[in-house]
Amino acid sequence: MCGIAGLFSKATEVEDRLGAHVGAMLSQLADRGPDSAGVAFYREPAPPGSSKVSLYSPNPTEDWSATASELEAAFPGSGEPEIRASHAVIVVAAEADEAEAWLRERRPELRVMSVGTRIETFKEEGSPRAFVEQFGLAEIAATHALGHTRMATESRVTTEHSHPFSTGLDLCLVHNGSLSNHNVLRRRLRREGIEFRTDNDSEVAAGYLMWRLREGASLQEALEGCLEDLDGFYTFAVGTADGLAVLRDPIACKPAVMAETEDWVAMASEYRAIAVLPGAADAEMWEPEPGRVYVWERAKV
Amino acid sequence: MPVGERAAPVGERALGGEIEIDLSEVTLRELNQRLHAVADDGPRRWRVLNPGGQHAVAVGIDAPIEVTVEGHVGYYCAGMNKGATVRIRGNCGVGVAENIMSGAVIVEGSASQSAAASGRGGLVVIEGDASARCGISIKGVDIVVKGSVGHMSGFMAQKGRLVVLGDAGDALGDSLYEARLYVRGEVAGLGADCVEKEMLDEHRTEVARLLEQAGAGSVDASEFRRYGSARRLYNFEIDQAGIY
Amino acid sequence: MAGGGNPDVNGASGLRESALFDRRTIHEIHRMAREGIYDIRGFGAKRRVPHFDDLLFLGASVSRYPLEGYRERCDTDVVLGTRFARRPLHLEIPITIAGMSFGALSAPAKEALGRGASAAGTSTTTGDGGMTPEERGHSKTLIYQLLPSRYGMNPDDLRRADAIEIVIGQGAKPGGGGILLGQKISDRVAEMRDLPKGVDQRSACRHPDWTGPDDLEIKIGELREITDWEKPIFVKIGATRTYFDVALAVKAGADVIVLDGMEGGTAATQEVFIEHVGIPILAALPQAVASLQELGLHREVQLVVSGGIRSGADAAKALALGADAVSIGVAAIVALGDNSPALAEEYARIGTAPGFYDDWHEGRDPAGISTQDDELAARFDAELGGRRLANYLQAMTLEAQTLARACGKSHVHNLEPEDLVALTVEAAAMARVPLAGTDWIPGAESQS
């Protein structure tokens, strides 16, 4: 059980302050999700042929520059690590699967939170307000983002169990609700080659999307597949390189509020998380209908 | 300040017979406690500023006062209201006026899920739309929605009336008992044991009166269709097992 | 079970009963074939499950000294609701009366529960029909339930109550709603519940205006605001995924957790629910305590457990495992006189016998307890019933004190898990106490 939020900017002033806005949203969702918090920001794209990797280390004195140097040696042209609390974002001069393979072999103790061209993912145990501070969200600019605050249901409170779960390149998912057939699904998806690190139901939803996309479904089709194959209660928000998607299950007990102004589109579990956004009082507001996929994407150049 | 009159607490101002309380300056608890403590000869009109989407605003009032909330509220605004008239000049979250006993709650914007849930009396008016489960489990309240209502509205509704000027979502009136549902627009689908029933003069009169109370007296009551319980779930019979 | 005492089916005649398709099962299959619906009944789980009987106390010895009975104090008081409420409940004994509705029970039966509990210095709880004036009048301490149905719910009763209990589920049917059949929907019940008279009541299994602990937190906030933060908020759950459920209820803001094992009774639900859903209280209790300890809130958020509590021994063992109090339902009904041999003839007339009667849903109770029939209810003497309940509660308390003193405790709350051992491997694993005579707790390494 949790709070989820999504913000998609339509104006540069909003982009510049996106991190601050998302931080304010997360603080409003702290009551319903006190155990951990996470965000995925979509920012400057990595150059063609490179990929952006978000890494987490459980070691508080992690030597990120050593890792970065080794990466530079293996993949010349790789960037400096951008460090935020227990995480670091590194642009690796290699395609995603190469970068991941190297990390898995040479730095297995580091957790890959996400890989892609634009996505940067941070998640941590502890209060959402502390998270916003520690990770310096106020300085972050981005075109769109997803956020999550967690009240753990059937699985443990650890950094790995926090959302967003990354489902593939530039793809991530946040979930409010509780699935009821995730164990069966997890076993099925494992047989299809999808890997899972936790017993968390939301990770299964993320894995399911990744599987469908891998098999050629569009994001719309994959989300519609959720309605068929996932059982339980859910409001999902999904992030892609180009935008956001929202889906509620057909019973729709878990809340979801959407709002739009000239400058942004936002989604959250409670209105008060939207109330902190500029111009919220006059925003157009509605609730997503159950069983219907909503997608917002910026036009591709 | 005249002798004997206490200074208004921070965040509260008295203006021409009306008390204004600013939720960006006082706590929710202080607001609700003030509203619970209104004396019989106390101020009748109250205005709440900057609700900022907070939950449980103006809950549990038991006094014939008027409260106007300037802005959007979160869950359960005016919950368990008794005797007061609460006007929300914005949208409201889940469960507005839940379990209302009497009095009136008017939402000028739209309402989220479970509006007027288990309401037992009084009137709830939603000028915009109400989302899923509007009128769920109601036990005597009257609800008038000028826009549309979402799916599972009137679910297990026992007593009371729901009047919808717009459309109704799927599974309308599922498992309902004796509540009366009136819809003017499209009904996406009927729930278990809910059927369309004939509109007679008594029903048109009933709808007209509710529309009048809700400030929509110019709408024609005969444009509504009536829905109610088929009463096949009232006592279990093996041949009805398919409905379950 | 080989024959149940009837010699004709025990070998000598050559007849052999099946363990799977025993007479009871055959009877039930015939009934299903006739009626086409599940069986509905009252009472709790009747099958044998690991329970407190499988635990024993380690009494005084050379290393542990007992207290003198009667002369040396063994206190029994408990305070429930210290976490956030301005007015927690102070009870004289750690045994409360569980939620049972007026509707399920007759008015005089509810009155008797109030009288008996008040005499014993403890609380009663309303049920799925709301609060009656008689119950509030006769109960010194009354807990008011907020259920998915919301029958009779109103803010005046909320304010009149001493505590509020949000019911998420109960042990007999975790995930099920209330059932009251048409024959028990009398005029008065119908009016209180806003139902047509004589219909079968269908109840929702989820609350109408919240689902999930994140939204429960907001609901609890509303209830506190309505009652000016005075009353303790209890959250009642049926025992299933207890370790996580308790953590969530605590995070949502509960002052007290009420945990009802699968043994817990009901006035009416499907037999399949009673017997096949939920876990024994013996297994759930240690999970709940572990969860509270991990949150650093054991004893700060109090734990009340129920589900087959029958004696002071059961109560003492529950306290030793970490509960702050126990709650009784079926036992209280029995104490009032349910299933009495004195009614043998009447039971025979409705197709049952003393010790077997569980069709509480039918409303034909000759004792006048689980009925709405005025004539039958009139047979039940509320004052006498109250005295019987008070006696029973007193006897239970004396039993618990006897055991506690034998373990050297001056307060029943000082009982601890180390005072217990188990007779079976299952009980040892579930209760997380060693098998008697050994150090072995099965599964101890892998526990949460």
Side-chain angles (χ1 to χ4, degrees):
Chain A
M1 291 304 142
C2 325
I4 64 178
L7 186 59
F8 176 95
S9 102
K10 300 194 302 190
T12 14
E13 318 87 71
V14 173
E15 256 183 63
D16 292 342
R17 309 251 320 127
L18 205 92
H21 294 320
V22 171
M25 294 176 89
L26 290 182
S27 299
Q28 290 297 315
L29 296 173
D31 288 339
R32 68 188 293 126
D35 297 331
S36 58
V39 283
F41 286 105
Y42 290 86
R43 309 185 68 197
E44 288 300 314
S50 291
S51 48
K52 212 193 277 191
V53 185
S54 298
L55 295 166
Y56 161 73
S57 169
N59 177 2
T61 55
E62 180 65 45
D63 185 357
W64 292 109
S65 29
T67 303
S69 307
E70 286 187 46
L71 275 168
E72 163 70 30
F75 308 107
S78 296
E80 286 301 306
E82 196 181 311
I83 300 169
R84 286 184 191 280
S86 54
H87 290 49
V89 177
I90 306 180
V91 177
V92 182
E95 296 293 346
D97 42 4
E98 258 196 279
E100 273 193 283
W102 187 96
L103 286 160
R104 228 189 334 262
E105 203 196 304
R106 306 298 211 87
R107 284 281 184 277
E109 74 283 7
L110 298 177
R111 288 275 168 258
V112 178
M113 292 303 195
S114 64
V115 193
T117 54
R118 306 192 53 213
I119 190 174
E120 297 179 22
T121 304
F122 312 110
K123 23 190 203 179
E124 191 63 275
E125 272 180 74
S127 90
R129 292 192 174 93
F131 172 82
V132 171
E133 275 292 314
Q134 279 163 26
F135 284 78
L137 296 199
E139 329 151 351
I140 296 181
T143 53
H144 53 291
L146 285 187
H148 184 268
T149 61
R150 183 158 185 254
M151 185 192 287
T153 47
E154 289 177 36
S155 55
R156 314 268 165 205
V157 188
T158 66
T159 298
E160 282 192 272
H161 283 80
S162 310
H163 313 198
F165 286 100
S166 186
T167 63
L169 294 188
D170 282 314
L171 219 50
C172 71
L173 172 125
V174 292
H175 169 214
N176 176 210
S178 178
L179 298 181
S180 62
N181 70 338
H182 53 289
N183 293 306
V184 149
L185 263 180
R186 187 187 300 110
R187 286 189 280 275
R188 197 171 120 203
L189 290 167
R190 277 204 171 115
R191 287 198 289 274
E192 299 287 339
I194 308 290
E195 283 173 24
F196 294 95
R197 288 198 220 122
T198 72
D199 51 6
N200 186 298
D201 60 339
S202 310
E203 196 193 11
V204 173
Y208 173 82
L209 285 180
M210 174 146 118
W211 173 60
R212 292 299 310 271
L213 293 166
R214 186 189 79 185
E215 300 297 306
S218 65
L219 180 63
Q220 174 93 20
E221 286 164 345
L223 285 167
E224 280 164 4
C226 290
L227 297 169
E228 287 293 312
D229 294 326
L230 266 51
D231 204 357
F233 296 78
Y234 52 88
T235 299
F236 288 142
V238 174
T240 72
D242 304 308
L244 300 176
V246 172
L247 172 66
R248 295 172 87 184
D249 74 82
I251 298 181
C253 276
K254 299 310 296 179
V257 185
M258 305 238 27
E260 184 166 5
T261 67
E262 272 183 18
D263 297 335
W264 49 258
V265 180
M267 177 269 162
S269 301
E270 290 179 34
Y271 172 71
R272 58 181 167 143
I274 293 182
V276 295
L277 299 174
D282 299 312
E284 189 199 330
M285 283 183 41
W286 74 99
E287 292 195 2
E289 274 170 48
R292 188 174 139 188
V293 178
Y294 293 78
V295 184
W296 290 269
E297 283 181 318
R298 36 187 21 87
K300 295 189 232 261
V301 174
Chain B
M1 182 172 32
V3 169
E5 203 175 285
R6 63 174 182 82
V10 172
E12 189 178 312
R13 301 189 303 162
L15 297 158
E18 187 177 77
I19 306 279
E20 219 175 63
I21 299 189
D22 191 337
L23 272 182
S24 64
E25 291 178 30
V26 317
T27 65
L28 177 73
R29 205 158 157 202
E30 284 167 319
L31 165 70
N32 285 328
Q33 279 181 332
R34 286 288 277 125
L35 294 175
H36 293 166
V38 181
D40 288 341
D41 61 346
R44 295 290 101 184
R45 284 172 24 234
W46 300 72
R47 191 172 294 273
V48 180
L49 307 181
N50 298 310
Q54 283 191 61
H55 305 304
V57 170
V59 294
I61 302 178
D62 185 357
I65 59 176
E66 283 173 32
V67 181
T68 304
V69 182
E70 298 285 355
H72 304 307
V73 291
Y75 291 29
Y76 310 132
C77 185
M80 301 214 191
N81 184 59
K82 235 179 125 188
T85 299
V86 180
R87 176 176 289 273
I88 298 153
R89 312 200 62 209
N91 300 326
C92 58
V94 172
V96 63
E98 69 92 11
N99 219 97
I100 175 175
M101 302 296 294
S102 61
V105 177
I106 302 121
V107 180
E108 291 185 2
S110 289
S112 181
Q113 294 199 50
S114 303
S118 73
R120 306 190 62 200
L123 175 68
V124 175
V125 178
I126 297 163
E127 305 277 350
D129 298 322
S131 96
R133 301 182 180 87
C134 180
I136 179 174
S137 197
I138 55 175
K139 295 163 172 60
V141 64
D142 291 327
I143 310 169
V144 178
V145 180
K146 296 186 182 172
S148 297
V149 297
H151 74 297
M152 296 222 99
S153 289
F155 177 66
M156 299 193 87
Q158 297 169 223
K159 230 193 235 173
R161 277 108 22 132
L162 171 62
V163 176
V164 181
L165 277 66
D167 302 326
D170 212 0
L172 176 70
D174 190 292
S175 299
L176 86 170
Y177 287 92
E178 292 300 309
R180 288 179 175 176
L181 314 179
Y182 298 100
V183 182
R184 187 174 68 154
E186 301 288 310
V187 172
L190 295 174
D193 213 33
C194 182
V195 292
E196 188 173 341
K197 297 188 167 185
E198 217 188 327
M199 276 291 272
L200 304 172
D201 283 341
E202 62 172 286
H203 307 118
R204 278 185 281 271
T205 310
E206 182 169 77
V207 171
R209 200 163 24 89
L210 289 169
L211 290 170
E212 184 68 46
Q213 281 175 16
S218 57
V219 175
D220 185 357
S222 43
E223 289 177 25
F224 289 78
R225 292 179 314 284
R226 182 166 75 101
Y227 298 90
S229 177
R231 303 191 180 104
R232 286 168 302 175
L233 295 179
Y234 276 23
N235 296 102
F236 182 83
E237 279 156 54
I238 186 174
D239 299 313
Q240 307 293 355
I243 302 178
Y244 283 85
Chain C
M1 188 211 89
N6 182 343
D8 278 347
V9 295
N10 195 359
S13 63
L15 294 178
R16 184 175 179 182
E17 186 173 23
S18 161
L20 283 178
F21 286 89
D22 60 1
R23 275 163 291 172
R24 194 184 60 79
T25 301
I26 289 172
H27 182 271
E28 175 59 11
I29 295 176
H30 286 162
R31 187 204 62 76
M32 287 162 78
R34 218 168 42 239
E35 295 174 18
I37 188 176
Y38 36 64
D39 187 28
I40 291 178
R41 65 164 174 89
F43 217 89
K46 287 191 159 178
R47 56 141 131 195
R48 177 93 175 75
V49 298
H51 196 62
F52 294 113
D53 286 342
D54 299 313
L55 302 181
L56 298 170
F57 277 106
L58 296 173
S61 58
V62 175
S63 56
R64 183 69 66 89
Y65 318 133
L67 264 49
E68 295 288 358
Y70 314 117
R71 270 196 300 272
E72 286 169 3
R73 298 187 65 82
C74 179
D75 292 329
T76 59
D77 55 299
V78 66
V79 183
L80 299 178
T82 53
R83 191 183 183 196
F84 291 129
R86 291 198 286 131
R87 303 226 186 111
L89 306 186
H90 291 261
L91 304 176
E92 286 170 39
I93 60 172
I95 307 164
T96 67
I97 309 300
M100 289 178 279
S101 74
F102 165 66
L105 302 182
S106 64
K110 284 295 277 179
E111 183 187 325
L113 292 175
R115 284 173 178 273
S118 301
T122 187
S123 61
T124 64
T125 308
T126 64
D128 203 359
M131 188 188 290
T132 60
E134 299 93 319
E135 184 167 15
R136 177 68 278 192
H138 288 284
S139 284
K140 199 168 129 266
T141 306
L142 181 57
I143 300 166
Y144 184 38
Q145 284 190 334
L146 182 90
L147 296 114
S149 67
R150 308 291 168 89
Y151 295 130
M153 174 52 55
N154 69 84
D156 300 317
D157 285 340
L158 267 186
R159 292 178 173 131
R160 271 183 215 123
D162 297 296
I164 300 166
E165 182 171 286
I166 302 176
V167 177
I168 298 182
Q170 63 181 103
K173 43 180 159 172
I179 292 184
L180 197 66
L181 296 186
Q183 57 266 39
K184 291 174 84 169
I185 311 264
S186 61
D187 282 344
R188 188 175 175 201
V189 170
E191 206 198 307
M192 280 184 72
R193 302 191 186 200
D194 294 303
L195 290 171
K197 187 178 178 222
V199 309
D200 293 333
Q201 168 199 301
R202 289 158 269 136
S203 282
C205 60
R206 290 196 307 268
H207 282 261
D209 56 356
W210 66 268
T211 306
D214 42 7
D215 291 332
L216 170 60
E217 184 172 359
I218 304 175
K219 187 66 186 173
I220 290 179
E222 184 208 2
L223 295 170
R224 291 200 199 277
E225 283 295 318
I226 291 173
T227 56
D228 293 319
W229 286 73
E230 255 183 27
K231 329 269 178 195
I233 307 282
F234 291 32
V235 174
K236 179 168 179 175
I237 51 178
T240 57
R241 298 177 184 78
T242 307
Y243 176 78
F244 298 110
D245 289 344
V246 168
L248 292 171
V250 169
K251 287 175 197 181
D255 293 308
V256 176
I257 308 286
V258 180
L259 176 63
D260 194 22
M262 61 85 68
E263 304 91 330
T266 172
T269 196
Q270 298 91 330
E271 152 109 7
V272 282
F273 234 137
I274 299 175
E275 297 290 352
H276 300 283
V277 185
I279 66 174
I281 191 63
L282 200 69
L285 214 184
Q287 285 193 28
V289 173
S291 189
L292 288 168
Q293 283 170 339
E294 259 169 65
L295 292 166
L297 288 171
H298 186 220
R299 303 285 183 216
E300 273 190 53
V301 170
Q302 288 82 36
L303 179 64
V304 179
V305 304
S306 58
I309 306 291
R310 307 151 299 169
S311 64
D314 289 340
K317 291 169 188 173
L319 296 182
L321 288 176
D324 293 275
V326 299
S327 197
I328 57 171
V330 171
I333 302 300
V334 173
L336 294 183
D338 176 74
N339 268 288
S340 165
L343 296 167
E345 262 182 53
E346 314 240 13
Y347 283 131
R349 260 180 288 202
I350 56 171
T352 184
F356 294 88
Y357 177 53
D358 60 15
D359 283 327
W360 293 347
H361 61 295
E362 289 184 348
R364 297 192 290 166
D365 180 14
I369 297 170
S370 65
T371 178
Q372 289 305 313
D373 180 282
D374 289 327
E375 228 186 276
L376 291 173
R379 295 185 193 177
F380 183 80
D381 182 335
E383 255 192 77
L384 175 60
R387 281 203 297 280
R388 290 171 63 97
L389 180 64
N391 284 346
Y392 173 58
L393 290 168
Q394 180 176 264
M396 276 180 82
T397 306
L398 289 170
E399 284 184 339
Q401 286 171 303
T402 301
L403 295 170
R405 283 195 179 94
C407 296
K409 318 290 178 176
S410 60
H411 196 302
V412 291
H413 274 127
N414 294 337
L415 287 163
E416 49 188 13
E418 288 76 4
D419 293 315
L420 293 168
V421 291
L423 284 168
T424 67
V425 172
E426 290 86 358
M430 287 186 189
R432 304 185 191 178
V433 300
L435 195 59
T438 77
D439 288 331
W440 185 42
I441 302 178
E445 329 72 50
S446 59
Q447 260 146 23
S448 46

